[in-house]
Amino acid sequence: MVQLAGGEEVLGHGGEPSTRITWADVAAAAPEVVVVMPCGFDTARARDELRAVEARTEWQGLPAVRQGAVWVADGSAYFSRPGPRMVDGLEILAHALHPELFPAPPPRDLVRVASSQ
């Protein structure tokens, strides 16, 4: 979906199972955009979970965090289940990656996280 939305996946590998990564891996990947979408959580709960990592030095050093390009999305509704809503998920992801090109979805589906710096 990242590729279809016009992005480049820097931590995952399409068509392969998810793997555990370290904070060093995240820091080395230096993502320009982060979309937090834990399975089973709506945007409000995803935002609550994100608070647990925001004080980490590695998190604060990410280009996405410094540039205000961190988003939370409803992972279960649009990204974790096959079906027609995957198209909505693709549109949500396209906006997160290219907000100047794609219209914003409703706030219940995608929220930009304010930079803490």
Side-chain angles (χ1 to χ4, degrees), residues 64-82:
V65 173
R66 292 192 316 267
Q67 297 167 14
V70 176
W71 304 80
V72 292
D74 188 330
S76 288
Y78 300 106
F79 300 96
S80 300
R81 295 187 175 104

Side-chain angles (χ1 to χ4, degrees), residues 16-110:
E16 295 182 22
S18 298
T19 60
R20 285 187 182 264
I21 57 172
T22 66
W23 275 106
D25 296 330
V26 176
E32 296 175 7
V33 176
V34 172
V35 182
V36 178
M37 55 176 89
C39 185
F41 298 159
D42 62 11
T43 53
R45 177 68 190 276
R47 179 66 184 104
D48 289 343
E49 294 298 317
L50 181 57
R51 286 186 177 95
V53 302
E54 288 179 321
R56 293 189 68 96
T57 303
E58 301 93 341
W59 176 258
Q60 292 296 321
L62 296 177
V65 173
R66 292 192 316 267
Q67 297 167 14
V70 176
W71 304 80
V72 292
D74 188 330
S76 288
Y78 300 106
F79 300 96
S80 300
R81 295 187 175 104
R85 293 185 93 188
M86 294 291 282
V87 174
D88 296 329
L90 183 58
E91 291 172 350
I92 289 167
L93 195 53
H95 176 75
L97 295 171
H98 306 286
E100 71 285 359
L101 298 176
F102 296 95
R108 71 175 183 273
D109 299 332
L110 181 72

